[in-house]
Amino acid sequence: MTGTVAAGIEAASRLYQAGRLEEAIDACRAVLAVEPRRSDALNLLGAALFSTGQDGPAREALREAARVDPGNAAALGNLGIVLQHRREWPDAARALRALAAVQPESATVFSRLAMVSQETGDLDGAARFLRRAARLDPGASVQWYNLGLVGMLTGDMAAATRDLRRAVAIAPDGASARVRLGETLLRLGRPDEAAGVFLRALRLDPSAVDATMGLARCGRYRAAATAARPPGTGAMAGAEPGLAVRGALESATGYGSFCQRFIRTLRQRAVPLQAIGIFGSESWKEENLDAPVPAKALLNFLIPLAVERVPGLATVTFTMFEGTRIPPAWRRLSEHNDLIIVPTESSRMAWAAQGFPEDRLRVCPLGVDPEDSDGNAVPPTMVDPRGRLVSSYRHRFINVSDFIPRKNIDGLLRVWLRATARGDDAVLILKLGKGNDPAFAAELGELVRRTEAAVGKRMADAAPVVLINQLLSDADMAGLLRAATHYWSMSHGEGWDLPLSKAGALGLSLIAPRHSAYMEYLDDRVARLIPAAVRPARLPYSAQHYAPFHGLDWWDPDEDAAAEILSAIVRGGDDARPSARDHLVQGFTWARAADRLLAILDDAGLR
């Protein structure tokens, strides 16, 4: 019998190697029918199933192989690959750790462990695994390159520079490591040295776009530093002091929006500005703001990871955070910032909780007053999935969000399922993403299926949902907001929430969780607030960390309370709905935000 089983496995292996996968699967199953605990047959079956796209059965076969023979390196390796493919990161980490115990000298295993750690947001863990891989295989340029990348993400720029230099020394003809080294040098405030590195990268690979953009930033930074020389020492002597500003000049992101509003408002005050884009090559389209101006600081409207230092200029970063404590990497990345400016007390507390010096923290609320063009915005004509005009519904709720776990779209849909019925005179307009994610439809479909299962009710049995997944202009976004009666958020945390605040300024009734930025500009007089509790930041329907919040907390809105609020509106009428319009438009203008920003800089002697 043993000889027959061995011959069966050998035949299955030949079929697998020949690409005859279905026959190999049948051969493996024939062997397992005789000897069910045969780990080599289970491993081969799992590999063949995975190759045919049957991830679930492959995972179970490989799990059984590893259970039967915990020292089977091939099965553990294949199981790790399948689990990584399925993005089941905690299970993948367990399989790879077991493999590392079997193969403690394998640099490849520790590199894969680092990748899994990075996917879950455990950057410090990824760095530890990569250092182990680099010690095991010090002659491989890729080990030092990956270690340098993780060093950039963790904020250890000195280590990143050292590791990337080693990668370059091992493989001097590669451009990628030089590009990342140049970017690291910019973060350290060494643009002249970075320019030389970028030039060398471009000689090796003229198509290296990141090197071209890095070189453009070097030029802009050198010009800004020259203009910042003391009066009488440079070409700008005697010019009116101004500001050098860096941010998303063209982006439709939240950071881009408030950066652009600040620039426009500062220009209305005739503040001289040099506007530098994230990539360096962008220009401010509305007027020429490329020319350097005498300034004492570079004001960054960016997350800390994107901030680069300029010699001779103080570093000021206007940023925000959506949880109870910033990531440790943000603390390290901001070590040399002269000031961190945030829009809310919630963000200030998040920075202080991670140990950032409070004497370098300032609060400057954003503005929420509408654009001049918003008054002419026309609501679009929309039809729900049943063919009824959205405008014909009495209660029209809207949510505008990126399709990310922090926005808690799963919680929003759970509450909508619980609080509404098919015959209700209500509709939910759900604007998700910007239409540039090819995986969006599949991921949203899976989230909806899991939500229906969790609630025990189909979306078809609730009030209708109108989905919008495309990039909209500012005018179109204002029109979309005007199509609704209520703006509703179930977010786990916000740095400000520009769509909600804009909706309130346009006159929509607001429903929001009682946490984070919402407490800066909302209260029970002007909005319906949902109680919330601090919880670990997890992925929907999972115990797994949300990677950007690894090891951190955010807020969970109370879904029972949210369902009661929606039910009361839909079934009890909405005649006395609170309005935040006057409170927001009068209390949080961009003019006031710009004045506060200038006062902060003046008080610190940075303008």
Side-chain angles (χ1 to χ4, degrees):
M1 182 67 71
T2 301
T4 302
V5 168
I9 291 174
E10 185 177 346
S13 180
R14 287 196 301 270
L15 291 166
Y16 176 77
Q17 292 169 3
R20 297 160 63 180
L21 300 176
E22 296 296 342
E23 293 173 78
I25 291 170
D26 291 340
C28 287
R29 285 176 170 153
V31 169
L32 292 167
V34 176
E35 197 171 326
R37 292 172 54 83
R38 185 86 187 206
S39 64
D40 51 357
L42 287 164
N43 174 55
L44 186 56
L45 174 62
L49 288 167
F50 181 64
S51 297
T52 60
Q54 301 179 67
D55 296 357
R59 178 189 58 183
E60 299 313 310
L62 291 166
R63 275 180 172 164
E64 181 63 12
R67 189 188 67 78
V68 169
D69 182 5
N72 188 327
L76 289 169
N78 286 333
L79 178 58
I81 290 170
V82 171
L83 292 169
Q84 284 177 261
H85 178 76
R86 292 174 60 87
R87 305 184 68 81
E88 297 177 11
W89 304 118
D91 288 347
R94 281 190 286 272
L96 291 170
R97 286 195 182 97
L99 181 58
V102 176
Q103 296 180 331
E105 304 305 314
S106 171
T108 300
V109 173
F110 288 98
S111 291
R112 287 170 58 193
L113 271 167
M115 190 274 280
V116 170
S117 295
Q118 190 170 339
E119 288 287 348
T120 62
D122 182 7
L123 299 177
D124 292 332
R128 288 194 301 272
F129 287 127
L130 283 171
R131 281 194 290 270
R132 176 70 178 271
R135 287 196 299 269
L136 291 169
D137 189 8
S141 172
V142 68
Q143 306 289 13
W144 301 103
Y145 176 76
N146 288 335
L147 193 53
L149 292 184
V150 170
M152 293 175 71
L153 294 173
T154 61
D156 191 345
M157 292 301 158
T161 303
R162 182 181 63 246
D163 295 331
L164 289 167
R165 288 192 191 280
R166 188 155 184 178
V168 168
I170 294 171
D173 293 335
S176 294
R178 292 181 189 273
V179 172
R180 302 305 165 224
L181 175 60
E183 293 171 345
T184 305
L185 292 169
L186 285 180
R187 284 167 172 78
L188 290 168
R190 291 148 67 178
D192 290 338
E193 188 178 352
V197 173
F198 288 133
L199 282 170
R200 175 61 176 159
L202 284 169
R203 284 196 291 270
L204 292 168
D205 179 7
S207 67
V209 175
D210 287 349
T212 300
M213 294 189 297
L215 198 58
R217 295 201 299 281
C218 289
R220 301 295 294 276
Y221 296 159
R222 279 197 296 261
T226 299
R229 291 173 185 168
T233 64
M236 305 297 292
E240 183 183 353
L243 286 174
V245 173
R246 181 165 178 248
L249 306 184
E250 302 173 353
S251 169
T253 63
Y255 272 86
S257 296
F258 82 80
C259 169
Q260 293 156 28
R261 286 303 298 268
F262 265 121
I263 290 176
R264 291 191 187 100
T265 309
L266 291 169
R267 291 301 296 136
Q268 290 169 4
R269 278 161 169 63
V271 176
L273 292 179
Q274 178 191 7
I276 303 172
I278 292 179
F279 304 113
S281 56
E282 313 96 298
S283 295
W284 182 252
K285 302 301 184 184
E286 298 172 23
E287 59 183 307
N288 180 14
L289 299 182
D290 289 340
V293 299
K296 289 186 176 181
L298 177 62
L299 173 60
N300 299 275
F301 293 103
L302 297 167
I303 62 171
L305 180 63
V307 172
E308 297 169 341
R309 291 154 58 193
V310 176
L313 293 179
T315 302
V316 179
T317 301
F318 198 131
T319 188
M320 60 189 72
F321 194 66
E322 303 89 357
T324 62
R325 181 166 47 95
I326 65 169
W330 281 34
R331 170 73 171 81
R332 291 191 289 264
L333 285 161
S334 304
E335 195 71 39
H336 297 286
N337 272 245
D338 296 83
L339 281 181
I340 296 289
I341 304 175
V342 295
T344 66
E345 178 65 13
S346 173
S347 281
R348 191 199 68 79
M349 291 172 62
W351 278 83
Q354 194 60 266
F356 192 83
E358 295 195 47
D359 62 346
R360 286 191 272 155
L361 291 171
R362 301 290 188 275
V363 177
C364 176
L366 302 184
V368 300
D369 50 318
E371 300 267 13
D372 293 338
S373 59
D374 289 344
N376 300 320
V378 178
T381 299
M382 293 179 285
V383 178
D384 75 7
R386 301 164 193 170
R388 178 176 168 179
L389 281 171
V390 168
S391 59
S392 69
Y393 285 93
R394 180 181 180 188
H395 308 293
R396 303 181 299 279
F397 300 85
I398 189 169
N399 177 277
V400 178
S401 296
D402 286 330
F403 187 45
I404 55 175
R406 179 174 60 80
K407 294 297 186 176
N408 194 20
I409 302 304
D410 54 307
L412 189 94
L413 293 177
R414 281 193 298 272
V415 171
W416 188 253
L417 282 173
R418 292 176 54 192
T420 69
R422 183 179 176 87
D424 287 336
D425 196 10
V427 63
L428 172 62
I429 305 165
L430 192 54
K431 164 71 172 69
L432 293 181
K434 302 176 180 69
N436 57 357
D437 182 2
F440 170 80
E443 292 176 359
L444 178 61
E446 178 62 20
L447 186 73
V448 168
R449 285 189 289 273
R450 299 186 76 167
T451 300
E452 289 177 329
V455 178
K457 181 178 178 180
R458 298 181 309 143
M459 295 297 297
D461 296 324
V465 177
V466 174
L467 177 67
I468 299 171
N469 172 227
Q470 64 190 81
L471 182 64
L472 298 179
S473 68
D474 289 343
D476 288 340
M477 182 64 76
L480 184 65
L481 292 172
R482 285 187 175 279
T485 56
H486 298 75
Y487 191 102
W488 171 34
S489 169
M490 288 289 288
S491 174
H492 288 301
E494 290 295 331
W496 187 262
D497 199 339
L498 287 166
L500 177 139
S501 58
K502 181 167 184 169
L506 290 173
L508 276 70
S509 184
L510 303 180
I511 308 166
R514 191 187 297 275
H515 64 55
S516 63
Y518 298 126
M519 295 295 90
E520 187 78 17
Y521 51 83
L522 298 180
D523 57 39
D524 290 312
R525 296 175 297 112
V526 298
R528 292 182 172 89
L529 296 177
I530 304 165
V534 174
R535 297 281 189 271
R538 307 288 189 188
L539 290 175
Y541 304 109
S542 172
Q544 184 176 318
H545 291 285
Y546 175 44
F549 282 68
H550 178 85
L552 303 177
D553 294 333
W554 57 20
W555 293 267
D556 273 349
D558 186 322
E559 295 183 12
D560 290 338
E564 288 180 10
I565 290 172
L566 256 67
S567 294
I569 293 171
V570 172
R571 297 189 177 85
D574 198 27
D575 297 330
R577 71 186 191 197
S579 173
R581 181 172 186 168
D582 292 343
H583 168 71
L584 291 173
V585 171
Q586 295 170 15
F588 296 89
T589 67
W590 284 105
R592 184 174 297 181
D595 288 344
R596 171 62 179 154
L597 176 61
L598 293 174
I600 288 171
L601 296 173
D602 287 340
D603 184 61
L606 294 178
R607 191 164 71 96

